[in-house]
């Protein structure tokens, strides 16, 4: 028996690698002679670097400027042979690094992400993958590009302050000092949303409130994004208000114009990065899961993306998740033959959260015994 274990993180309790280790222990209790391969996955947001490192990328750590000026240590991944770097906005500019206040929603920026991109360029990266999600800012990626040499100027020719709250003051962009290496590197943005840059479904209106923005701040941020898009269009001829451009506070938008960035479905990008297809070719059984398996999961990202790929090969899939709010009939359409909730095994959400690894191991064993 060759078992591939490919879970996403159990948000708030277990990282992807921790979940995979717990599942592996449960699988070996049922199939002690099995050959088990752990390959944590991600949707392109938080956990993308962990998945890359688990797949063989080296882990790098850089001190960068956080979303509200304070320095933070940000982890990223690099593959020496392929020269591919993997960065997350959450590491350098994440919402966990900033209090969700109105003031911070306007001040937060992505400068630290630009510093990580510079570090990747210094390391010789020819391809940079940026996982978007869990961000504190709504600055359309301008902070990151400022770290790479782009200047945002107001009507008097002065630099505007960092942060989305200042974008309404931008009247001109000076790209003369932009790092020339950006022109020679492939930039791929991993997104799991299709929100545009601005408007009622854009970055400010949809994601601003969770970053601390009140209604007035949301309107200011949205107006700033609209203004920036107009200035960028005039300067470059590129329309940056495209599907997915609203991810991570609009981060992809300016990179589309100034770095030729590609916006891609997060799960597909990560699956390619960690060579999921190759791992599936060598598997007889797949175990996957995440913290909450719900209606959003049915869109084919994360665990059910793994399930669909396995199902296409005729490989049975077992799901172990913190909680499961969809029916087994719905999961069966994706090739799932057994599904167990860690919460059900633990007896309560509180117990499951208190000892997530142990109950995930038990849930895995229970699911395999039920096949």
């Amino acid at each position: 028996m060759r078992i591939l274990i490919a879970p996403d993180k159990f948000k708030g309790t277990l990282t992807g690698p921790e979940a995979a280790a717990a599942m592996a222990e449960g699988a070996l209790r049922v199939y002690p002679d099995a050959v088990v391969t752990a390959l944590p996955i991600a949707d392109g947001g938080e956990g993308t670097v962990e998945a890359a490192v688990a797949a063989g990328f080296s882990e790098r750590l850089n001190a960068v400027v956080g979303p509200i000026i304070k320095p933070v240590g940000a982890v990223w991944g690099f593959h020496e042979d392929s020269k591919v770097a993997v960065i997350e906005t959450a590491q350098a500019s994440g919402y966990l690094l900033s209090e969700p206040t109105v003031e911070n929603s306007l001040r937060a920026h992505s400068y630290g992400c630009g510093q990580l991109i510079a570090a990747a360029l210094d390391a010789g990266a020819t391809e940079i993958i940026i996982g978007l999600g869990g961000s504190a800012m709504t600055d359309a990626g301008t902070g990151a590009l400022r770290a790479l040499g782009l200047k945002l100027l107001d009507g008097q020719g002065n630099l505007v302050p960092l942060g989305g709250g200042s974008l309404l003051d931008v009247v001109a962009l000076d790209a003369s000092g932009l790092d020339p290496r950006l022109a020679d590197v492939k930039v791929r943005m991993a997104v799991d949303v299709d929100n545009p840059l601005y408007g009622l479904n854009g970055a400010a209106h949809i994601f601003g409130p969770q970053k601390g923005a009140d209604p007035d701040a949301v309107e200011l941020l949205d107006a700033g994004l609209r203004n920036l898009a107009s200035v960028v269009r005039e300067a470059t001829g590129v329309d940056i208000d495209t599907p997915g451009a609203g991810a991570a506070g609009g981060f992809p938008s300016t990179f589309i114009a100034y770095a030729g960035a590609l916006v891609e479905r997060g799960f597909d990008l990560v699956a390619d990065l960690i060579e999921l297809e190759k791992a599936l070719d060598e598997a007889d059984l797949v175990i996957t899961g995440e913290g909450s398996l719900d209606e959003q999961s049915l869109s084919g990202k994360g665990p059910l993306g793994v399930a669909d790929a396995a199902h296409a090969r005729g490989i049975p899939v077992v799901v172990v998740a913190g909680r499961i709010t969809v029916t087994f009939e719905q999961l069966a359409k994706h090739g799932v033959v057994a599904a167990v909730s860690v919460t059900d095994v633990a007896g309560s959400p509180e117990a499951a959260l208190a000892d997530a690894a142990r109950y995930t191991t038990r849930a895995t064993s229970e699911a395999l015994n039920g096949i």
Side-chain angles (χ1 to χ4, degrees), residues 41-312:
I41 62 165
D43 285 334
E46 297 162 272
T48 299
V49 170
E50 287 176 346
V53 171
F57 281 61
S58 63
E59 185 176 282
R60 304 283 181 98
L61 176 67
N62 280 73
V64 300
V65 176
I68 306 294
I69 304 303
K70 294 180 181 178
V72 299
V75 176
W76 57 289
F78 187 64
H79 199 286
E80 294 286 353
D81 295 332
S82 65
K83 302 303 180 184
V84 175
V86 181
I87 292 167
E88 287 178 23
T89 55
Q91 284 284 335
S93 311
Y95 68 88
L96 294 179
L97 303 172
S98 169
E99 290 293 323
T101 65
V102 173
E103 181 184 12
N104 283 347
S105 72
L106 299 173
R107 294 174 56 215
H109 56 78
S110 57
Y111 194 92
C113 292
Q115 291 177 301
L116 290 184
I117 293 171
L121 292 171
D122 289 343
T126 57
E127 180 176 321
I128 300 175
I129 293 171
I130 305 176
L132 306 181
S135 64
M137 70 285 178
T138 312
D139 74 345
T142 55
L145 280 172
R146 287 176 64 156
L148 294 163
L150 182 68
K151 294 179 181 179
L152 281 65
L153 306 174
D154 63 17
Q156 286 71 49
N158 300 315
L159 292 174
V160 301
L162 287 165
S166 302
L167 295 181
L168 192 57
D169 298 328
V170 178
V171 301
L173 299 164
D174 179 359
S176 62
L178 194 62
D179 194 322
R181 295 176 296 179
L182 279 177
D184 299 320
V185 68
K186 184 177 183 179
V187 179
R188 304 170 71 188
M189 303 274 184
V191 305
D192 63 357
V193 299
D194 59 3
N195 300 79
L197 178 60
Y198 55 78
L200 294 180
N201 290 316
H205 280 279
I206 298 300
F207 306 113
Q210 68 194 43
K211 301 174 185 183
D214 64 8
D216 288 340
V218 166
E219 292 298 337
L220 176 58
L221 290 167
D222 188 65
L225 295 173
R226 287 177 183 272
N227 176 63
L228 180 71
S230 177
V231 175
V232 170
R233 190 181 304 112
E234 184 177 343
T236 67
V238 178
D239 181 6
I240 60 174
D241 183 34
T242 59
F251 192 93
S253 60
T254 48
F255 277 85
I256 292 172
Y258 286 99
L262 304 173
V263 177
E264 303 179 39
R265 183 171 177 257
F267 172 74
D268 293 341
L269 198 161
V270 175
D272 179 55
L273 178 73
I274 64 176
E275 298 185 321
L276 176 63
E277 298 283 342
K278 180 180 178 181
L280 287 170
D281 288 340
E282 301 172 355
D284 301 308
L285 175 70
V286 171
I287 305 174
T288 187
E290 62 183 333
S292 178
L293 201 70
D294 50 32
E295 288 290 337
Q296 284 190 322
S297 305
L298 297 178
S299 65
K301 63 181 185 178
L304 291 192
V306 174
D308 288 338
H311 187 40

